[in-house]
Amino acid sequence: MSDSGIQMTLVEVSLAWSLPPEHVAEMVMEGVLDPSGAQREDWRFTPQHLRQAGIALRLERDLGLNLAGVALALQLLDELESLRQRCPPGV
Amino acid sequence: MEWPMEYKDYYQTMGVGRGASQDEIQRAHRKLARKYHPDISKEPDAEARFKEVGEAYKVLKDPESRAAYDQLGADLKSGQQFHTPPGWQSGFENSGAGFGDDDPSGTSDFFQSLFGRRGSSARGKRARHSSADFSFPGEDRHATIEIELEDAYHGATRKMTLRVPEFDARGQVELREHVIEFVVPPGVKAGQRIRLAGQGAPGTGGGPPGDLYLEVALKTHARYRVEGRDVYLDLPVAPWEAALGTEFEVPTPAGPVELTIPPGSTAGRKLRLRGRGIPGTPAGDFYFVLGIALPPAGNESQNAAWRNLASQYPSFSPRATPGETP
């Protein structure tokens, strides 16, 4: 069974990673997470967002990055990934 | 009897010499951690390398554990068979803070036999049970609850269901429902946190669970407004009640009170009931904020009454401001 239909609130994401909700909100404000919904109470997160929050948390803790640094790292990783896909190795 | 294990050359892992300064060790660690971080690296053995680097750094970053490690001798090579030296004492404490991977399952037998039993200290304030080799307290969790204003006045016992997302064995998200029961103490303020001991994330290796902190928010009330512990009620009165004064009974969350409207009251006037806001030390105050409700224009005799009123106040201008001629 896929978890693709699951939607979570800010508090639920923060419970999953044992983070204060304010910290997850900062991830949203830095662009690390991009939930649907305009107001904080209406934010809805997908399982993909939940995984992304875990990556962000590990990057913060393991590499001493702040959230702006995490956002930059994730963005560069995305760009790197799309470059890799456009230029497969050996071409 | 202890089995031999493989020696680990932590300096080699970090790519520094045995004489490296603490700064050099930190710089090497940062660089390697970025290189091999499993969420970043495309290297096939990134995760294993990341853990090795983390383990080496755990030992070398702390001058005491580094000195103890150095005592093992400089001639040993990685992979060489090794026994814990006799008399190896747990005379120092690895601080364990900082580098993220506190998970003991990621460390080698070598590390665990030398440094494991004294256990890297807990990230949190809770003391670890000393007998357990690797027990870690669970992390604290945080959620918000909305309570009724009346609960803040009188206190209450409430039950709610929290949905906690968890990953199953295949990495799929599932929502586990946790029913929690909590006591709202009388006098609780918005933003205050209620601690539920042991209701946080489960501990590992027999470690105690973390705590659950519930941040209190007050539900918006249909009648009352709350600022800190002060509570406000907009109270409309008829023009003649404001002008002549009156007494009547009004509701407050603490129960009905007999209120006296002094003669000559104006719209916006605040009447305070000291100490009748949300309880506490000090208790908040309760304010009635007067508004003047005008009866609608009505039949001929009612309109005549308004005209008669107007004729009694020939010089009254509601748009006059002090010091200005209307």
Side-chain angles (χ1 to χ4, degrees), chain B residues 133 167 226 234:
Chain B
D133 280 358
F167 293 99
V226 181
D234 288 328

PDB file of all heavy atoms in Angstrom, chain B residues 133 167 226 234:
ATOM      1  N   ASP B 133      24.560  -0.517  28.752  1.00  0.00           N
ATOM      2  CA  ASP B 133      25.644  -0.119  27.866  1.00  0.00           C
ATOM      3  C   ASP B 133      25.214   1.036  26.989  1.00  0.00           C
ATOM      4  O   ASP B 133      25.870   2.044  26.881  1.00  0.00           O
ATOM      5  CB  ASP B 133      26.040  -1.293  26.989  1.00  0.00           C
ATOM      6  CG  ASP B 133      26.935  -2.257  27.730  1.00  0.00           C
ATOM      7  OD1 ASP B 133      27.255  -1.973  28.905  1.00  0.00           O
ATOM      8  OD2 ASP B 133      27.316  -3.265  27.146  1.00  0.00           O
ATOM      9  N   PHE B 167       7.503   5.718  10.187  1.00  0.00           N
ATOM     10  CA  PHE B 167       7.895   5.000   8.977  1.00  0.00           C
ATOM     11  C   PHE B 167       7.830   3.502   9.246  1.00  0.00           C
ATOM     12  O   PHE B 167       8.337   3.033  10.262  1.00  0.00           O
ATOM     13  CB  PHE B 167       9.315   5.383   8.557  1.00  0.00           C
ATOM     14  CG  PHE B 167       9.422   6.813   8.103  1.00  0.00           C
ATOM     15  CD1 PHE B 167       9.897   7.790   8.957  1.00  0.00           C
ATOM     16  CD2 PHE B 167       9.025   7.175   6.827  1.00  0.00           C
ATOM     17  CE1 PHE B 167       9.982   9.123   8.544  1.00  0.00           C
ATOM     18  CE2 PHE B 167       9.116   8.494   6.400  1.00  0.00           C
ATOM     19  CZ  PHE B 167       9.588   9.472   7.267  1.00  0.00           C
ATOM     20  N   VAL B 226      -9.353  37.576  25.158  1.00  0.00           N
ATOM     21  CA  VAL B 226      -8.358  37.330  26.203  1.00  0.00           C
ATOM     22  C   VAL B 226      -7.034  37.990  25.822  1.00  0.00           C
ATOM     23  O   VAL B 226      -6.587  37.871  24.681  1.00  0.00           O
ATOM     24  CB  VAL B 226      -8.128  35.810  26.384  1.00  0.00           C
ATOM     25  CG1 VAL B 226      -7.108  35.545  27.483  1.00  0.00           C
ATOM     26  CG2 VAL B 226      -9.441  35.110  26.706  1.00  0.00           C
ATOM     27  N   ASP B 234     -17.340  42.726  25.427  1.00  0.00           N
ATOM     28  CA  ASP B 234     -18.029  43.902  24.881  1.00  0.00           C
ATOM     29  C   ASP B 234     -19.466  43.860  25.371  1.00  0.00           C
ATOM     30  O   ASP B 234     -20.161  42.866  25.185  1.00  0.00           O
ATOM     31  CB  ASP B 234     -18.011  43.868  23.347  1.00  0.00           C
ATOM     32  CG  ASP B 234     -16.613  44.157  22.810  1.00  0.00           C
ATOM     33  OD1 ASP B 234     -15.892  44.938  23.467  1.00  0.00           O
ATOM     34  OD2 ASP B 234     -16.252  43.586  21.767  1.00  0.00           O
TER      35      ASP B 234
END
